[in-house]
Amino acid sequence: MKLLRWCKANAMPVIAVLAAAVTAVFVPPDAAYLGYYDVKTLSCLLCVLAVVGALRRVGLFPLLAQRLVQVFHTTRGAVTALVGITLVGSMLLTNDTALLTFLPLSWFVLEGTGQTKHTALTFILQNCAANLGGMLTPFGNPQNLYLYSHFELSLDTFIRSIGPFSLLSLVLLLLVTMFTPRETISLDTAGRDTSSDETFPKRCLFCCLGMFFLCLCTVAGLLPLPILFICILEIGCLADPKIFCQVDYSLILTFIGFFIFIGNLKHIPAVSSLLSSMITGHEVIVSVLASQVISNVPTAILLSGFTEKGVSLLIGTNLG
């Protein structure tokens, strides 16, 4: 029962490993497997997740969010602020981490102001904001980082391709928040937290911001990945080694499993030919539909092995 519960809680990496194992029956493991892995993506992803873990441990973003919420005095203003914080946070923290960081804050605000009747709407909008905001940056969504690295897209191409969809998403989210009533509320309770008045460990905060800046430089192509990896490892160990315990290693395992799965499929001629013919010319719609079934990260990894249209996959997996 414990094993079953673990598998349910980690469904995606389990599926990835099983898919890799099934294809390994048809393509036995050999030295060619070493060429399956996109080491650059895995290393960069590991560094970004470590930095995100560090920022969460420092607690900077919830504090900034609480201070921002104190400025607003209506239900509509508070909900809009919470959705906006999640949108911006997902661009910097990844979509999953933005939700883990700001959903508890939203509940704290809504409960403290007696506005729990708006919890469902707020949570749904934050979920939309996390995914739609995260698509604007290469590290906002995991599939973005992979596609950005795999197809060697420039930052300019990335933003020009996905920017219009992000802008449209922002407008739609703001319109939906207008359905929230403009009831006057007191945010004094929501703004108080025993941890808010504590002094931040400045050394850790500066280390986190420094690591985040290094990640930005690497994604922009200004800093070689090996240097980033060494810096993150050294700074993390000196500042707070526990940040490496908070890394989502199941996501790393998911990538590894699907790398093997896709690599093996490409070595099965009949399957490779069939998938290529199905995907070519229909990258956006196929990736949108596939994302509904196997999620956007596996879709990005799967389809990238059978097409060279990285921008189309970027748009499709994010919209999906």
Side-chain angles (χ1 to χ4, degrees), residues 43-224:
S43 301
C44 195
L45 182 62
L46 179 62
C47 292
V48 170
L49 292 176
V51 173
V52 167
L55 290 172
R56 287 193 63 202
R57 282 183 63 81
V58 170
L60 173 63
F61 292 97
L63 178 68
L64 295 178
Q66 289 181 25
R67 292 290 185 259
L68 180 61
V69 169
Q70 285 181 323
V71 176
F72 299 91
H73 303 287
T74 65
T75 303
R76 181 181 298 176
V79 171
T80 302
L82 291 167
V83 172
I85 291 167
T86 307
L87 183 79
V88 175
S90 65
M91 298 179 187
L92 305 174
L93 299 174
T94 75
N95 50 3
D96 292 343
T97 303
L99 288 176
L100 291 173
T101 301
F102 298 121
L103 283 181
L105 172 67
S106 297
W107 172 250
F108 181 71
V109 171
L110 294 173
E111 183 184 38
T113 55
Q115 299 294 318
T116 53
K117 58 186 176 183
H118 302 297
T119 300
L121 174 62
T122 304
F123 279 16
I124 291 171
L125 289 178
Q126 283 184 284
N127 184 57
C128 294
N131 285 282
L132 297 174
M135 68 181 179
L136 185 59
T137 59
F139 43 81
N141 290 334
Q143 77 273 8
N144 287 2
L145 185 59
Y146 169 71
L147 293 172
Y148 182 83
S149 173
H150 181 77
F151 290 102
E152 298 182 345
L153 302 176
S154 67
L155 189 59
D156 177 64
T157 299
F158 183 96
I159 294 178
R160 283 193 293 104
S161 301
I162 208 69
F165 300 101
S166 298
L167 181 61
L168 176 61
S169 301
L170 174 61
V171 172
L172 292 176
L173 281 171
L174 291 177
L175 287 176
V176 175
T177 58
M178 294 297 103
F179 287 95
T180 309
R182 296 189 61 181
E183 301 175 3
T184 301
I185 57 176
S186 172
L187 296 180
D188 292 338
T189 302
R192 297 301 300 168
D193 184 15
T194 56
S195 64
S196 297
D197 296 326
E198 295 178 0
T199 303
F200 276 129
K202 293 184 178 181
R203 182 171 65 91
C204 293
L205 176 58
F206 290 144
C207 287
C208 292
L209 295 177
M211 290 191 296
F212 184 70
F213 177 73
L214 292 176
C215 286
L216 289 178
C217 290
T218 300
V219 171
L222 303 177
L223 183 70

Side-chain angles (χ1 to χ4, degrees), residues 14-60:
V14 169
I15 293 173
V17 171
L18 289 177
V22 170
T23 56
V25 175
F26 302 95
V27 184
D30 55 20
Y33 271 49
L34 297 176
Y36 292 169
Y37 309 112
D38 190 332
V39 178
K40 181 180 179 181
T41 297
L42 292 175
S43 301
C44 195
L45 182 62
L46 179 62
C47 292
V48 170
L49 292 176
V51 173
V52 167
L55 290 172
R56 287 193 63 202
R57 282 183 63 81
V58 170
L60 173 63

